[in-house]
């Protein structure tokens, strides 16, 4: 018997049907529809406007792949900015680095943050309450426009996809990346999640070209996320350090020296990122 199901958007005309075990929240915020549910095979999950954002079963693959390449490329990331990341998992990964003394997370939707705090502890694991963390409820575009130059060593853009809700679209543009560039320190590193280059190649290429037009070094990589139904793309931009020069053994040493434990990411995974190609 087909019980309650969720239709997870994948491409323009492709979806995945997932069986819901328990529905915790269905809420329309000022910005998006928020669902928090227990999904068979994936566990506790956050869904925004019909797109899966994080599931307990595989979010670590996404968040470790999003956060750690940029954090290990920078030799001493102390001040880190996350834009988006409402469920607190990118923040959790950033705070693992013992170099970090100031992690600012800016999300436009207070309801996502408050509902995540309440229902998604297995995902945020208390990151919101770390004394180094500062949570700001604001449009990331406005925050960046008002931020001082050279404020952050690493900036992580963990936004909804560039082709889903309208609220994030302006944060995938050349103009926005130029502002990110100035808010970064002279040796700063930025990374953005960029959805699927397979199902939305046109949109993805626009984002890639936008990053490429601003940063000296650009690395694109992707990783399969079972609950997304596609390989999720990431685009890293670096002002000074060449991401192709990072060696696996150096990455593992950096993670060890910074007391960073991971379930998925390591030096050899990074090799698969840089030589894995994009499709
Ligand atoms: N892991 C997800 C993925 O792979 O697509 C993204 C994580 S997170 C849930 C996406 C967050 O971006 C949401 O909490 C949403 O509120 C936030 N967001 C969207 N547009 C934003 C904006 N303009 N400024 C700040 N946060 C924004």
């Amino acid at each position: 018997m087909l019980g309650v199901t969720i239709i997870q958007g994948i491409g323009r005309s492709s979806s995945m049907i997932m069986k819901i075990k328990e529905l915790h929240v269905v809420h329309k915020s000022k910005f998006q529809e928020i669902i928090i549910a227990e999904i068979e095979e994936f566990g506790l999950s956050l869904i925004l406007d019909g797109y899966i954002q994080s599931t307990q079963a595989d979010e670590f693959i996404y968040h470790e792949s999003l956060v750690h390449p940029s954090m290990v490329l920078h030799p001493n990331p102390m001040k880190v900015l996350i834009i988006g990341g409402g469920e607190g998992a990118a923040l959790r990964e950033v705070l693992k680095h013992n170099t970090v003394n100031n992690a600012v997370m800016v999300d436009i939707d207070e309801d996502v943050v408050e509902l995540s705090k309440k229902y998604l502890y297995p995902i945020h694991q208390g990151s919101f309450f770390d004394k180094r963390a500062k949570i700001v409820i604001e449009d990331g575009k406005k925050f960046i426009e008002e931020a001082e130059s050279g404020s952050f060593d690493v900036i992580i853009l963990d936004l909804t996809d560039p082709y889903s809700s309208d609220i994030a679209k302006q944060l995938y543009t050349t103009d926005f990346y130029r502002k990110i560039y100035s808010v970064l320190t002279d040796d700063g590193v930025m990374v953005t999640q960029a959805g699927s280059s397979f199902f939305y190649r046109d949109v993805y290429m626009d984002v890639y070209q936008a990053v490429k037009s601003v940063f000296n070094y650009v690395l694109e990589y992707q990783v399969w996320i079972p609950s997304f139904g596609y390989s999720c793309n990431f685009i890293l931009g670096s002002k000074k350090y060449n991401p192709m020069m990072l060696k696996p053994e150096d990455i593992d040493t950096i993670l060890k020296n910074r007391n960073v434990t991971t379930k998925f990411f390591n030096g050899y995974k990074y090799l698969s990122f840089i030589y894995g190609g994009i499709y």
Side-chain angles (χ1 to χ4, degrees), residues 192-204:
T192 185
Q193 85 91 2
S196 169
S197 61
F198 178 80
F199 286 105
Y200 292 90
R201 181 137 206 91
D202 50 342
V203 176
Y204 173 79

Side-chain angles (χ1 to χ4, degrees), residues 32 46 48 52-54 62-63 83-87 106-109 112 138-141 158-161 165 167-168 171 193 228 230 232:
Q32 51 211 330
L46 172 68
L48 297 179
I52 281 201
Q53 305 295 310
S54 285
Y62 170 90
H63 290 104
I83 298 184
E87 72 275 55
V106 179
D107 200 293
I108 197 168
D109 196 335
V112 172
E138 189 167 71
D139 182 340
K141 186 166 179 289
D158 184 17
L159 294 157
T160 40
D161 297 317
S165 59
I167 52 176
L171 289 76
Q193 85 91 2
F228 286 9
Y230 58 80
C232 184

Side-chain angles (χ1 to χ4, degrees), residues 58 61-62 222-232 264 279:
D58 65 3
I61 302 171
Y62 170 90
Q222 62 184 152
V223 69
W224 173 253
I225 309 286
S227 61
F228 286 9
Y230 58 80
S231 287
C232 184
F264 172 80
Y279 52 81

Side-chain angles (χ1 to χ4, degrees), residues 74 76-81 101-102 104 143-155 177-189 215 239:
H74 193 285
N76 186 28
M78 295 189 286
K79 303 167 291 179
V80 180
L81 171 64
N101 53 32
N102 181 9
V104 179
F143 182 89
I144 284 293
E145 283 165 353
E146 295 169 359
E148 281 185 29
S149 302
S151 304
F152 296 99
D153 301 308
V154 174
I155 297 179
Y177 294 134
R178 281 203 190 105
K179 294 189 175 86
I180 291 277
Y181 190 94
S182 72
V183 171
L184 282 167
T185 47
D186 290 345
D187 63 349
V189 183
F215 283 89
K239 293 172 87 167

